[in-house]
């Protein structure tokens, strides 16, 4: 599989596209005005402690306070506690099992160091934990732990034992690791260099007494660090960058972490923009469309809601083949591959349900499910895939990270308020008449000018004596800039506007 990373640097934002076999599978957008906080470490201030929820809310300097659950708390030094355990520079208290005792450990105004485990999504604030993890190129440092855990992709027991023995020689008491797939093939010197770098970051975080809370102590999301840590793997064929200064800075850092990748760096210096040449901009625009075409002529429909994402598979214009079961199997396998690519590209998280075309044959179901599971293994985000249900649905639970591409690049429609539909003209007209009847007592027969959208005016004009039951004389005035389900009412003589309590979305009130 051909793997490329393309980096587009702009004054207000930078974009990174990860390509597999000349198709974009992941997109990272780094905007100056948008703060990416997942994985960042903060010194926060406890704002509220809620024993009934077994949780606290911590101000870390974001728009909304962050949520901290009882089980994720790490409490500071206790010299005389028999239950405490010694780790480098810390004595930690084990919390009892009753989460309602949270107010024994935390109080409003208390400062504490936390790490963002789930970024803010919509109206939900960030989720934070007190147990830190510092990610590196091929190791994740776990302070206050002695465990060594491995990525699920490292299945060979001999390899695991070999890496564990090397890490035991390098690490100190009280520091554990999660071993990433990039660690395979590294030697003792590589592990020691990575360990010392990560330990230095941890020491810098903990020595933050002079920092004023709330503040960020460690930013994991610096674009160059993100590239080195998560995207530039040993199997990356090319790294194309359209900014010379960024390339030179990245080259200096890569020499410390992964010298072999330096020779794969390329500078793009043409007139045409990098993303247009590789047809990436078209793919990004397509990622905002709910419909995605499949090679065979079928398609998938992607609908996102607050609770879950639904992917529906359709045959579309597919007419090849004489065997119905084989036709459906081909479409479903294509849909499985494209669905995973779209999940990665759009950064869909939480619960994802795929409604494949019904397959009677159990063997076909198993084949499609295995194919889907294999494609999901390419995804760097953790996910769990469940077999076909009795209704023919496949459920995927994928770890939420940052906002998906739709949230990052758009905002809720001010006309439909995110519903995705607008009321028909007859409903709008009837609701307008109801409202004018409702206020007729106060207007006392005075002439009224009602400003509406041209479509609504055309409909009302086509109805005979539409305002016959209203005592006021109503003059309809069209305004192309008026939203279809909005209106404004003025006294004809004085031009004084009549303000209704339920504006601006009065039409949504009356059914």
């Amino acid at each position: 599989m051909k793997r490329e990373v393309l980096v587009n640097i702009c004054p207000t934002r930078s974009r990174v596209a990860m390509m597999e076999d000349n198709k974009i599978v992941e997109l990272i957008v780094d905007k100056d005005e948008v703060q990416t906080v997942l994985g960042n470490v903060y010194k926060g201030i406890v704002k509220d402690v809620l024993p009934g929820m077994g949780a606290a809310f911590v101000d870390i300097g974001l728009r909304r306070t962050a949520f901290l659950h009882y089980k994720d708390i790490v409490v500071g030094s206790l010299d005389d506690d028999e239950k405490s355990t010694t780790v480098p520079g810390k004595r930690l208290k084990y919390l009892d099992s009753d989460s309602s005792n949270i107010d024994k450990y935390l109080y409003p105004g208390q400062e504490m160091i936390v790490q963002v485990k789930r970024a803010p999504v919509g109206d939900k604030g960030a989720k934070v934990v007190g147990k830190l993890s510092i990610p590196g190129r091929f190791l994740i440092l776990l302070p206050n732990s002695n465990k060594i855990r491995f990525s699920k992709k490292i299945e060979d027991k001999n390899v695991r034992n070999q890496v564990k023995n090397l890490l035991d020689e390098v690490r100190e008491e009280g520091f554990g690791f999660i071993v990433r797939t990039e660690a395979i093939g590294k030697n003792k010197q590589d592990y020691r260099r990575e360990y010392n770098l990560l330990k230095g970051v941890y020491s810098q975080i903990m020595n933050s007494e002079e920092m004023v809370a709330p503040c960020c102590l460690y930013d994991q999301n610096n674009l160059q660090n993100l590239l080195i840590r998560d995207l530039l793997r040993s199997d990356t064929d090319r790294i194309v960058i359209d900014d010379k200064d960024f390339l030179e800075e990245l080259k200096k850092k890569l020499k410390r972490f992964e010298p072999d990748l330096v020779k794969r760096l390329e500078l793009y210096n043409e007139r045409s923009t990098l993303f247009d040449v590789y047809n990436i901009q078209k793919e990004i625009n397509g990622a905002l469309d709910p419909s995605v075409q499949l090679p065979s002529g079928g398609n998938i429909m992607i609908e996102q809601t607050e609770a879950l994402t639904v992917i529906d598979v359709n045959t579309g214009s597919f007419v090849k083949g004489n065997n119905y079961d084989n036709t459906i199997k081909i479409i479903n396998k294509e849909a499985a591959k494209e669905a995973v690519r779209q999940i990665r590209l759009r950064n869909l998280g939480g619960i994802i349900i795929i409604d494949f075309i019904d397959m009677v044959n159990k063997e076909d179901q198993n084949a499609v499910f295995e194919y889907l599971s294999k494609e999901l293994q390419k995804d760097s985000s953790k996910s769990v895939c469940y077999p076909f249900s009795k209704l023919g649905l496949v459920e995927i639970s994928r770890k939420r990270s940052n906002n998906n591409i739709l949230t990052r690049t758009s905002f809720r429609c001010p006309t439909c308020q995110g519903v995705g539909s607008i009321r028909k003209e007859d409903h709008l007209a009837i609701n307008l008449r109801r409202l004018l009847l409702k206020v007729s007592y106060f207007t006392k027969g005075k002439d009224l000018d009602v400003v509406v959208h041209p479509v609504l005016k055309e409909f009302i004009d086509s109805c005979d004596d539409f305002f016959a039951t209203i005592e006021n004389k109503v003059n309809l005035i069209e305004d192309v800039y008026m939203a279809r389900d909005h209106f404004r009412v003025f006294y004809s003589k004085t031009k004084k506007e009549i303000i209704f309590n339920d504006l601006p979305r009065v039409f949504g009130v009356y059914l």
Side-chain angles (χ1 to χ4, degrees), residues 79-296:
D79 294 332
D80 300 323
D81 196 318
E82 295 180 359
K83 295 182 181 180
S84 64
T85 180
T86 302
V87 294
K90 279 284 183 183
R91 292 177 63 81
L92 302 181
K93 180 194 292 184
Y94 289 110
L95 306 183
D96 58 54
S97 58
D98 187 356
S99 62
S100 64
N101 290 330
I102 187 172
D103 55 352
K104 293 182 180 179
Y105 305 101
L106 299 183
Y107 56 87
Q110 180 180 5
E111 293 186 355
M112 63 186 310
I113 295 175
V114 293
Q115 185 172 29
V116 177
K117 217 63 177 174
R118 186 195 67 206
V121 178
D123 293 331
K124 296 179 181 178
K127 180 181 180 182
V128 296
V129 297
K131 302 168 186 176
L132 306 185
S133 59
I134 314 298
R137 175 101 178 121
F138 43 87
L139 297 173
I140 300 176
L141 183 69
L142 304 176
N144 308 315
S145 173
N146 287 308
K147 295 182 179 180
I148 296 179
R149 293 181 283 171
F150 290 82
S151 165
K152 290 183 179 180
K153 296 179 181 179
I154 305 177
E155 299 177 349
D156 193 313
K157 291 185 178 179
N158 293 328
V159 172
R160 290 191 174 202
N161 290 333
Q162 183 181 4
V163 173
K164 185 177 182 302
N165 292 335
L166 289 174
L167 290 176
D168 282 334
E169 296 179 22
V170 169
R171 70 186 180 100
E172 301 170 75
E173 181 71 17
F175 287 106
F177 296 104
I178 297 176
V179 181
R180 309 178 73 177
T181 52
E182 284 294 304
I184 305 304
K186 304 299 179 183
N187 56 39
K188 183 177 177 180
Q189 184 179 356
D190 293 327
Y191 292 137
R192 188 181 298 280
R193 181 169 61 248
E194 176 104 327
Y195 168 65
N196 289 334
L197 286 170
L198 296 178
K199 184 183 174 185
V201 171
Y202 176 66
S203 299
Q204 184 179 359
I205 291 172
M206 301 311 296
N207 296 325
S208 58
E209 291 83 1
E210 296 181 359
M211 301 289 286
V212 179
C215 64
C216 181
L217 302 178
Y218 173 60
D219 183 1
Q220 274 195 29
N221 297 286
N222 173 276
L223 187 57
Q224 292 183 357
N225 293 339
L226 188 66
L227 275 168
I228 294 172
R229 187 179 68 241
D230 295 331
L231 297 181
L232 304 185
R233 306 198 308 239
S234 56
D235 61 347
T236 302
D237 297 294
R238 298 171 67 217
I239 306 116
V240 184
I241 303 170
D242 63 4
D243 185 88
K244 185 176 181 181
D245 293 336
F246 186 92
L247 184 142
E248 292 299 327
E249 291 178 18
L250 183 63
K251 185 182 294 185
K252 292 177 183 177
K253 290 186 177 181
L254 275 178
K255 287 180 179 179
R256 296 173 56 196
F257 292 96
E258 197 73 30
D260 291 341
L261 286 176
V262 173
K263 59 186 177 183
R264 302 177 200 177
L265 291 173
E266 296 181 19
L267 176 65
Y268 180 83
N269 196 21
E270 303 295 334
R271 286 189 175 183
S272 302
T273 60
L274 177 64
F275 274 28
D276 284 333
V277 168
Y278 284 83
N279 207 31
I280 295 174
Q281 193 60 54
K282 184 179 178 181
E283 291 271 9
I284 295 173
N285 295 337
L288 302 175
D289 195 326
S291 177
V292 181
Q293 295 299 312
L294 301 176
S296 64

Side-chain angles (χ1 to χ4, degrees), residues 358-416:
D358 291 338
M359 293 175 287
V360 179
N361 193 327
K362 190 69 176 178
E363 292 181 358
D364 290 347
Q365 282 191 355
N366 293 336
V368 171
F369 179 76
E370 289 177 7
Y371 188 77
L372 176 66
S373 301
K374 185 178 179 181
E375 289 296 313
L376 281 171
Q377 291 177 6
K378 301 175 182 178
D379 187 8
S380 57
S381 293
K382 184 179 179 181
S383 62
V384 180
C385 186
Y386 300 92
F388 279 87
S389 69
K390 292 182 180 180
L391 296 176
L393 306 176
V394 173
E395 299 175 37
I396 300 172
S397 175
R398 186 173 186 262
K399 183 179 178 181
R400 288 188 186 274
S401 51
N402 293 309
N403 289 330
N404 58 60
I405 190 171
L406 185 63
T407 306
R408 295 201 310 264
T409 58
S410 59
F411 56 85
R412 180 176 291 180
C413 171
T415 301
C416 73

Side-chain angles (χ1 to χ4, degrees), residues 9-34:
I9 305 297
C10 294
T12 58
R13 67 175 180 178
S14 299
R15 298 180 295 177
V16 180
M18 190 167 77
M19 311 285 289
E20 291 179 359
D21 293 331
N22 297 318
K23 279 197 170 185
I24 180 173
V25 293
E26 290 185 28
L27 176 71
I28 295 174
V29 180
D30 182 28
K31 292 185 179 181
D32 291 343
E33 74 275 13
V34 178

